[in-house]
Coordinates of all heavy atoms in Angstrom, one line a residue:
A1 N 94.6 -0.7 56.5 CA 94.4 0.7 57.0 C 94.8 1.7 55.9 O 94.7 2.9 56.1 CB 95.2 0.9 58.3
L2 N 95.4 1.2 54.8 CA 96.0 2.0 53.7 C 97.0 3.0 54.3 O 97.2 4.1 53.9 CB 94.9 2.8 53.0 CG 93.8 2.0 52.4 CD1 92.9 3.0 51.6 CD2 94.3 0.9 51.5
S3 N 97.8 2.4 55.3 CA 98.9 3.2 55.8 C 100.3 2.7 55.4 O 101.3 3.3 55.7 CB 98.8 3.2 57.4 OG 98.9 1.9 57.9
Q4 N 100.3 1.5 54.9 CA 101.6 0.8 54.5 C 101.5 0.3 53.1 O 100.6 -0.3 52.7 CB 101.9 -0.3 55.4 CG 103.2 -1.1 55.1 CD 103.4 -2.3 56.0 OE1 102.5 -2.6 56.9 NE2 104.4 -3.0 55.8
T5 N 102.5 0.7 52.3 CA 102.7 0.2 50.9 C 103.5 -1.1 50.9 O 104.6 -1.1 51.5 CB 103.3 1.3 50.0 OG1 102.5 2.4 50.0 CG2 103.5 0.7 48.6
K6 N 103.0 -2.1 50.2 CA 103.7 -3.4 50.2 C 104.1 -3.7 48.7 O 103.9 -2.9 47.8 CB 102.8 -4.5 50.7 CG 102.4 -4.3 52.2 CD 101.6 -5.5 52.7 CE 101.3 -5.3 54.2 NZ 100.7 -6.5 54.8
T7 N 104.7 -4.8 48.5 CA 105.3 -5.2 47.2 C 104.2 -5.2 46.2 O 103.2 -6.0 46.4 CB 106.0 -6.5 47.3 OG1 107.0 -6.5 48.3 CG2 106.6 -6.9 45.9
P8 N 104.3 -4.5 45.0 CA 103.3 -4.6 44.0 C 103.4 -5.8 43.1 O 104.5 -6.4 43.1 CB 103.5 -3.3 43.2 CG 105.0 -3.1 43.3 CD 105.4 -3.6 44.7
G9 N 102.4 -6.1 42.3 CA 102.5 -7.0 41.3 C 102.9 -6.3 40.0 O 102.7 -5.1 39.8
S10 N 103.4 -7.1 39.0 CA 104.0 -6.5 37.8 C 103.0 -6.3 36.7 O 103.3 -5.9 35.6 CB 105.1 -7.4 37.3 OG 105.7 -6.8 36.1
F11 N 101.7 -6.5 37.0 CA 100.6 -6.2 36.1 C 99.4 -5.7 36.8 O 99.0 -6.4 37.8 CB 100.3 -7.4 35.2 CG 99.3 -7.2 34.1 CD1 99.8 -7.0 32.8 CD2 98.0 -7.1 34.3 CE1 98.9 -6.7 31.8 CE2 97.1 -6.8 33.3 CZ 97.6 -6.6 32.0
G12 N 98.7 -4.7 36.3 CA 97.5 -4.2 37.0 C 96.4 -3.7 36.1 O 95.3 -3.5 36.5
W13 N 96.8 -3.5 34.8 CA 95.8 -2.8 33.9 C 94.5 -3.6 33.7 O 94.5 -4.7 33.3 CB 96.5 -2.5 32.6 CG 95.6 -2.2 31.5 CD1 95.5 -2.8 30.3 CD2 94.6 -1.2 31.4 NE1 94.5 -2.2 29.5 CE2 93.9 -1.2 30.2 CE3 94.1 -0.2 32.3 CZ2 92.9 -0.4 29.8 CZ3 93.1 0.7 32.0 CH2 92.5 0.6 30.7
D14 N 93.4 -3.0 34.0 CA 92.1 -3.5 33.7 C 91.8 -4.9 34.2 O 91.3 -5.7 33.4 CB 91.9 -3.4 32.1 CG 90.5 -3.6 31.7 OD1 89.6 -3.3 32.6 OD2 90.2 -3.9 30.6
D15 N 92.2 -5.1 35.4 CA 92.1 -6.5 35.9 C 91.8 -6.4 37.4 O 92.4 -5.6 38.1 CB 93.3 -7.3 35.7 CG 93.2 -8.7 36.2 OD1 92.3 -9.5 35.7 OD2 94.1 -9.1 37.0
T16 N 90.9 -7.2 38.0 CA 90.8 -7.4 39.4 C 91.3 -8.8 39.7 O 90.8 -9.8 39.3 CB 89.3 -7.3 39.8 OG1 88.8 -6.0 39.4 CG2 89.1 -7.5 41.3
A17 N 92.4 -8.8 40.6 CA 93.1 -10.0 40.9 C 92.1 -11.0 41.6 O 91.3 -10.7 42.4 CB 94.3 -9.7 41.7
S18 N 92.3 -12.3 41.2 CA 91.5 -13.4 41.8 C 92.4 -14.0 42.9 O 93.6 -14.2 42.8 CB 91.2 -14.5 40.8 OG 90.4 -13.9 39.7
L19 N 91.7 -14.4 44.0 CA 92.3 -15.0 45.2 C 92.3 -16.6 45.0 O 91.3 -17.1 44.5 CB 91.6 -14.7 46.5 CG 91.7 -13.2 46.8 CD1 90.6 -12.9 47.9 CD2 93.0 -12.8 47.4
M20 N 93.3 -17.2 45.5 CA 93.3 -18.7 45.5 C 94.0 -19.2 46.7 O 95.0 -18.6 47.2 CB 93.9 -19.3 44.2 CG 95.4 -19.0 44.1 SD 96.1 -20.0 42.7 CE 95.1 -19.6 41.3
P21 N 93.6 -20.3 47.3 CA 94.3 -20.9 48.4 C 95.7 -21.4 47.9 O 95.8 -22.0 46.9 CB 93.5 -22.1 48.8 CG 92.1 -21.9 48.2 CD 92.3 -21.1 47.0
A22 N 96.7 -21.1 48.7 CA 98.1 -21.5 48.3 C 98.2 -23.0 48.1 O 98.9 -23.5 47.2 CB 99.1 -21.1 49.3
A23 N 97.3 -23.8 48.8 CA 97.4 -25.3 48.6 C 96.9 -25.7 47.3 O 97.2 -26.9 46.9 CB 96.5 -25.9 49.7
M24 N 96.3 -24.8 46.5 CA 95.9 -25.2 45.1 C 97.1 -25.5 44.2 O 97.0 -26.3 43.3 CB 95.1 -24.1 44.5 CG 93.6 -24.2 44.7 SD 92.7 -22.9 43.8 CE 93.1 -23.3 42.1
V25 N 98.2 -24.9 44.5 CA 99.4 -25.0 43.7 C 100.3 -26.0 44.4 O 101.1 -25.6 45.4 CB 100.1 -23.7 43.4 CG1 101.3 -23.9 42.5 CG2 99.1 -22.7 42.8
T26 N 100.4 -27.2 44.1 CA 101.1 -28.3 44.8 C 102.6 -28.0 44.8 O 103.3 -28.5 45.7 CB 100.8 -29.7 44.3 OG1 101.0 -29.7 42.9 CG2 99.3 -30.0 44.5
S27 N 103.1 -27.3 43.8 CA 104.5 -27.1 43.7 C 105.0 -25.9 44.5 O 106.2 -25.6 44.7 CB 104.9 -26.8 42.2 OG 104.2 -25.7 41.7
Y28 N 104.0 -25.2 45.1 CA 104.4 -23.9 45.9 C 105.0 -24.3 47.2 O 104.5 -25.1 47.9 CB 103.1 -23.1 46.1 CG 103.3 -21.9 46.9 CD1 104.1 -20.8 46.5 CD2 102.7 -21.7 48.2 CE1 104.3 -19.7 47.2 CE2 102.9 -20.6 49.0 CZ 103.7 -19.6 48.5 OH 103.9 -18.4 49.2
T29 N 106.1 -23.6 47.5 CA 106.9 -23.9 48.7 C 107.0 -22.7 49.6 O 107.7 -22.7 50.6 CB 108.3 -24.4 48.4 OG1 109.0 -23.5 47.6 CG2 108.2 -25.8 47.6
G30 N 106.3 -21.6 49.3 CA 106.4 -20.4 50.1 C 105.6 -20.5 51.4 O 105.0 -21.5 51.7
T31 N 105.4 -19.3 52.0 CA 104.8 -19.3 53.3 C 103.4 -18.6 53.3 O 102.7 -18.7 54.3 CB 105.6 -18.6 54.3 OG1 105.9 -17.2 53.9 CG2 107.0 -19.3 54.5
S32 N 103.0 -18.0 52.2 CA 101.7 -17.3 52.1 C 100.6 -18.3 52.1 O 100.7 -19.4 51.5 CB 101.7 -16.5 50.9 OG 100.4 -15.8 50.8
T33 N 99.5 -18.0 52.8 CA 98.3 -18.9 52.8 C 97.5 -18.7 51.6 O 96.6 -19.5 51.3 CB 97.5 -18.6 54.0 OG1 97.0 -17.2 54.0 CG2 98.3 -18.9 55.3
Y34 N 97.7 -17.6 50.8 CA 96.9 -17.4 49.6 C 97.8 -16.9 48.5 O 98.9 -16.3 48.8 CB 95.8 -16.4 49.9 CG 96.3 -14.9 50.1 CD1 96.3 -14.0 49.0 CD2 96.7 -14.5 51.3 CE1 96.7 -12.7 49.1 CE2 97.1 -13.2 51.5 CZ 97.2 -12.3 50.4 OH 97.6 -11.0 50.5
L35 N 97.4 -17.0 47.3 CA 98.1 -16.5 46.1 C 97.1 -15.7 45.3 O 95.9 -15.7 45.5 CB 98.7 -17.7 45.3 CG 99.6 -18.6 46.0 CD1 99.9 -19.9 45.2 CD2 100.9 -17.9 46.5
L36 N 97.7 -15.0 44.3 CA 96.9 -14.1 43.4 C 97.0 -14.6 42.0 O 98.1 -14.9 41.5 CB 97.3 -12.7 43.6 CG 97.2 -12.1 45.0 CD1 98.1 -10.8 45.1 CD2 95.7 -11.7 45.3
M37 N 95.9 -14.6 41.3 CA 95.9 -14.9 39.9 C 95.6 -13.6 39.1 O 94.7 -12.9 39.4 CB 94.9 -16.0 39.5 CG 94.8 -16.4 38.1 SD 93.6 -15.4 37.2 CE 94.3 -15.6 35.5
S38 N 96.4 -13.3 38.1 CA 96.2 -12.1 37.3 C 96.6 -12.4 35.9 O 97.4 -13.2 35.6 CB 97.2 -11.0 37.9 OG 97.2 -9.9 37.1
K39 N 95.9 -11.6 35.0 CA 96.5 -11.6 33.6 C 97.8 -10.9 33.6 O 98.1 -10.2 34.6 CB 95.5 -11.0 32.6 CG 95.2 -9.5 32.8 CD 94.2 -9.1 31.8 CE 93.7 -7.6 32.0 NZ 92.7 -7.2 31.0

């Protein structure tokens, strides 16, 4: 809704972040179902 600001990423210039299933990273132990790939 663009009503809540959440934690930003530390890089944003000239890039559209790519989505990936969290299961792609076998070492990942967090709770998110998706991760973000960015330069």
Side-chain angles (χ1 to χ4, degrees):
L2 302 187
S3 60
Q4 179 185 358
T5 299
K6 299 188 175 185
T7 303
S10 182
F11 187 98
W13 163 236
D14 194 21
D15 181 61
T16 300
S18 301
L19 296 163
M20 66 168 58
M24 272 185 61
V25 183
T26 54
S27 61
Y28 177 64
T29 58
T31 59
S32 181
T33 59
Y34 73 94
L35 302 173
L36 298 162
M37 180 269 158
S38 173
K39 64 181 176 183

